[in-house]
Amino acid sequence: MSHDPDARNAANGSGDWPDFTYSWVTECGIGEFARRVQAIREGERPVTGTSEPPRPAAALRALHAFAIRRKTPDLIEAAKKRHLGYRDAVNVLATAALCRSVKEAADLTHLQWKAESGPEGGEGDGGETPQTDDIIRDIARQRTVPDVAAFVRECRRFDGTPLVTKTLGAFTHGSSGRRNLDKALLYVALRDEDCAEEAAELLRRTLAAIDDDAPGCAPGTGPAEQLDDLVGALHEISPSERILEDWIDGQLADVERVPDTIRLVVRLIAALPPDPGPDPDPLTAHIGLRWERYGLIRLCEQLSEHAPEKCGTVRECAASRRRLRELAEIITDWRRSERLTKTVRDLLRDVVAMGTARADGPRPLDDLDDLAGELRHVGADPECGRMLRIVAAEHVDGRSGAELATLLHRVERRGDRWRASRTIAERLTARALGADGEVGGVIVGYVEALRAARDTHTIDTTLKEVADSSHAEPHSGHDHRAWVTLITEVAGRLYRSGLTADGANLLERCLENEQRITPEDVRLVVGRLRSGMAEPAGWLALLSATVGRWTDAHLRDGAVRQLREAGFHAEAAAVTG
């Protein structure tokens, strides 16, 4: 083979390859080229001292030159008619696809696909196109992201849906080596190439791959981390857009894709780590605030089984909506759902509290009235309206005493109203004992409003809970002194507000309980209230009728001693009788 100087020069490594010495690859026929490459690879036989040795590297260089310099139809012919072996054909086609322009790469891929899938496609008769798949796999894995986007654009010229599908599949496959950053970049690049549908399909495949790979993920690389990485990359590339959320909305606009999209979103949300702060993650917030009720209910039905805590977060987001008609429709469908109906009261509580927007305060009373009207308008189960009234009355956070009284009196059934009044009293007391200094005033305002409405039954219920609260027991975690302080504060406010009878009622309930009130407590109560009593005679009579009637003489004497030590001689005398 010494007659082949080009091969000898290439084999000796002279110059960059492929170089001008490979001009022969463009001059000979395809069959002749294939024979010469094989001869270079095998060397001369028999082997002698002057024979040409095997030069496999020179054969590679020749194949590279052939892929770069020959026209595209020649490459297709070499592969189709098997002038080249299968592996050499794959090598040549892949090299051309990677080294030529994007347009030429697309033309090559299209022609090869036609050759394999057409009537004379040989091994492609069964629908398989292995060499086309190899070309696309190399393009997807090795060309730059802008090149891949341009390649997809070019493939569309040929009505190339199969080629586009193959390219997106290769790019998003778990073995492609492409990072989430690459996929985010390609998403943006495809949109720039006016390939919005392909960009959406890329994102769908990426998310599906994240979910499909979940079982085999190593620690720290599971769906939650992968999704966070993808969303982070999209946000960094385009900070002003909510790309993932917009894509999901687009998928839901296609009726046929709704079930699969909801299932995918359920799995993605279920895999998210717990929110580190008070605000939900952007995807969950978007779903709760923006999704129409059909999709929202279907998603929550599935989440309630697989990730109840995530369902609760979505529910809170939905409950923070401002449009009352939307809320009424969601409540109605939630009640009708077999899987969610047991949590409709939780939904209503979230609605009253404003859900994730609870920092804005509870929902205004007028809105709650209008919401009740909307529930009737949309044909909700009457039980929804009943429960709404109850949970609205029982929500004490952020309410004034007058508002609590108004909401309580909107509860229609007597039994419901009585139970709600107990809950209100318990929650107000618990908050007051929890060092909320404003609640004492709320309790007094509540009693004032109840007195104006002549609701003596609820007043008794409230004062009894404050005076005898189980929240002040040792096992409750609240300090006994905090409870005594609360009694004196509320009683003092009631006296100063002119509600003398109610103040005396509260003190009587407290001071007559010698099992819980200590002599030191008596001293504290008297010391804080004696100066503000407008009717000293009534005040002294109260002490005589309560502490003065303690059955434990030792405790009673202790109370007298505490009062005298503090200089409260009139009160001490009233106790001794």
Side-chain angles (χ1 to χ4, degrees):
M1 293 185 59
S2 57
H3 62 279
D4 189 354
D6 293 340
R8 185 183 300 276
N9 291 339
N12 290 335
S14 57
D16 295 332
W17 60 278
D19 57 19
F20 65 90
T21 60
Y22 279 81
S23 59
W24 61 271
V25 303
T26 63
E27 298 168 355
C28 63
I30 297 174
E32 174 63 19
F33 169 78
R35 289 190 292 272
R36 291 180 69 175
V37 166
Q38 191 63 23
I40 295 171
R41 181 177 281 150
E42 294 176 353
E44 287 185 309
R45 301 293 180 88
V47 178
T48 67
T50 59
S51 62
E52 188 70 30
R55 303 289 186 182
L60 288 178
R61 296 186 184 101
L63 289 168
H64 187 93
F66 184 82
I68 298 301
R69 296 183 179 183
R70 295 296 287 253
K71 295 180 180 180
T72 297
D74 292 344
L75 307 185
I76 302 301
E77 180 182 348
K80 181 177 179 180
K81 296 186 176 180
R82 295 184 172 86
H83 291 298
L84 297 175
Y86 178 81
R87 292 179 178 82
D88 282 343
V90 170
N91 180 21
V92 166
L93 293 172
T95 300
L98 293 175
C99 296
R100 296 190 179 198
S101 70
V102 171
K103 185 178 184 305
E104 289 178 303
D107 291 338
L108 168 70
T109 307
H110 177 238
L111 291 174
Q112 180 59 29
W113 177 68
K114 287 179 62 178
E116 286 189 288
S117 61
E120 301 177 1
E123 60 185 324
D125 289 343
E128 297 180 354
T129 55
Q131 291 179 335
T132 303
D133 295 346
D134 284 335
I135 294 171
I136 289 177
R137 189 159 43 244
D138 285 334
I139 290 173
R141 293 180 178 183
Q142 298 184 54
R143 292 201 75 140
T144 65
V145 166
D147 281 357
V148 176
F151 179 78
V152 170
R153 180 202 66 213
E154 292 295 327
C155 285
R156 293 202 312 178
R157 291 187 297 115
F158 310 116
D159 190 23
T161 300
L163 299 181
V164 171
T165 300
K166 288 175 181 288
T167 303
L168 298 179
F171 196 92
T172 56
H173 195 275
S175 63
S176 70
R178 290 292 191 173
R179 302 164 297 175
N180 285 322
L181 173 60
D182 298 321
K183 296 165 188 176
L185 290 169
L186 182 58
Y187 177 87
V188 174
L190 284 171
R191 292 194 308 174
D192 189 55
E193 296 286 357
D194 293 327
C195 298
E197 292 183 7
E198 289 76 12
E201 177 63 13
L202 170 79
L203 197 51
R204 186 194 69 78
R205 287 173 174 268
T206 299
L207 292 169
I210 289 175
D211 181 63
D212 291 342
D213 292 344
C217 287
T221 63
E225 293 80 8
Q226 290 289 323
L227 179 61
D228 186 61
D229 185 41
L230 175 65
V231 174
L234 290 169
H235 180 71
E236 185 169 339
I237 294 168
S238 184
S240 62
E241 293 183 278
R242 290 290 179 86
I243 291 175
L244 178 60
E245 292 84 347
D246 290 344
W247 172 82
I248 291 173
D249 291 346
Q251 297 295 294
L252 292 176
D254 186 339
V255 175
E256 294 183 355
R257 292 187 175 183
V258 168
D260 289 340
T261 301
I262 290 177
R263 280 194 293 270
L264 174 61
V265 174
V266 166
R267 292 194 292 268
L268 293 174
I269 290 180
L272 288 172
D275 297 318
D279 297 326
D281 66 275
L283 175 59
T284 302
H286 177 80
I287 291 169
L289 291 170
R290 305 297 180 191
W291 275 26
E292 52 83 28
R293 68 182 193 273
Y294 171 82
L296 179 69
I297 297 298
R298 299 291 86 78
L299 177 131
C300 287
E301 285 177 337
Q302 297 180 41
L303 276 179
S304 66
E305 294 185 2
H306 304 294
E309 71 288 348
K310 299 294 184 181
C311 179
T313 304
V314 174
R315 185 188 68 229
E316 282 192 74
C317 293
S320 65
R321 298 189 186 201
R322 307 283 179 167
R323 295 179 179 176
L324 301 181
R325 175 63 61 85
E326 288 182 7
L327 282 174
E329 291 171 342
I330 291 171
I331 293 167
T332 300
D333 288 355
W334 200 285
R335 172 70 174 175
R336 290 171 179 169
S337 169
E338 293 183 1
R339 298 184 190 178
L340 300 176
T341 189
K342 292 182 179 179
T343 58
V344 69
R345 186 180 289 265
D346 295 327
L347 172 61
L348 291 168
R349 289 193 187 101
D350 291 335
V351 168
V352 172
M354 289 295 293
T356 52
R358 64 184 62 238
D360 296 337
R363 201 170 291 273
L365 273 62
D366 289 344
D367 282 2
L368 293 173
D369 254 357
D370 292 342
L371 178 58
E374 292 288 358
L375 286 171
R376 291 190 296 271
H377 181 77
V378 300
D381 183 340
E383 189 68 8
C384 293
R386 170 178 167 263
M387 286 190 287
L388 174 63
R389 295 297 193 191
I390 294 172
V391 299
E394 293 175 343
H395 183 90
V396 302
D397 293 350
R399 296 289 191 202
S400 68
E403 288 176 327
L404 290 174
T406 299
L407 290 168
L408 176 65
H409 292 143
R410 288 178 180 174
V411 177
E412 296 173 353
R413 298 183 185 178
R414 180 179 299 178
D416 291 341
R417 191 160 56 249
W418 176 75
R419 284 184 290 270
S421 69
R422 292 190 59 185
T423 301
I424 293 170
E426 290 172 0
R427 291 180 176 176
L428 286 174
T429 305
R431 282 191 56 196
L433 293 174
D436 189 337
E438 301 297 324
V439 179
V442 174
I443 293 174
V444 173
Y446 180 50
V447 173
E448 286 180 321
L450 293 173
R451 180 60 65 188
R454 299 181 180 179
D455 189 351
T456 56
H457 184 273
T458 302
I459 292 174
D460 288 342
T461 300
T462 304
L463 297 180
K464 181 178 184 299
E465 175 58 31
V466 175
D468 305 330
S469 175
S470 60
H471 295 285
E473 296 291 347
H475 64 268
S476 69
H478 295 296
D479 183 75
H480 173 79
R481 181 55 61 87
W483 170 65
V484 177
T485 301
L486 173 64
I487 297 291
T488 59
E489 178 189 354
V490 173
R493 285 174 178 260
L494 289 171
Y495 275 108
R496 290 191 295 273
S497 299
L499 301 175
T500 304
D502 295 321
N505 183 357
L506 176 60
L507 287 176
E508 183 177 351
R509 290 177 179 275
C510 170
L511 294 175
E512 68 184 4
N513 191 346
E514 61 186 289
Q515 283 75 35
R516 296 178 66 179
I517 292 293
T518 67
E520 291 77 14
D521 294 336
V522 174
R523 175 176 177 171
L524 174 65
V525 172
V526 172
R528 292 196 175 186
L529 296 179
R530 65 193 304 266
S531 61
M533 290 300 170
E535 299 179 8
W539 165 243
L540 296 177
L542 174 66
L543 292 174
S544 176
T546 53
V547 183
R549 293 183 180 180
W550 283 4
T551 58
D552 189 326
H554 176 71
L555 287 177
R556 186 173 65 250
D557 292 342
V560 172
R561 185 167 53 252
Q562 288 286 332
L563 292 172
R564 286 173 176 167
E565 289 177 359
F568 307 147
H569 298 292
E571 286 80 2
V575 171
T576 58

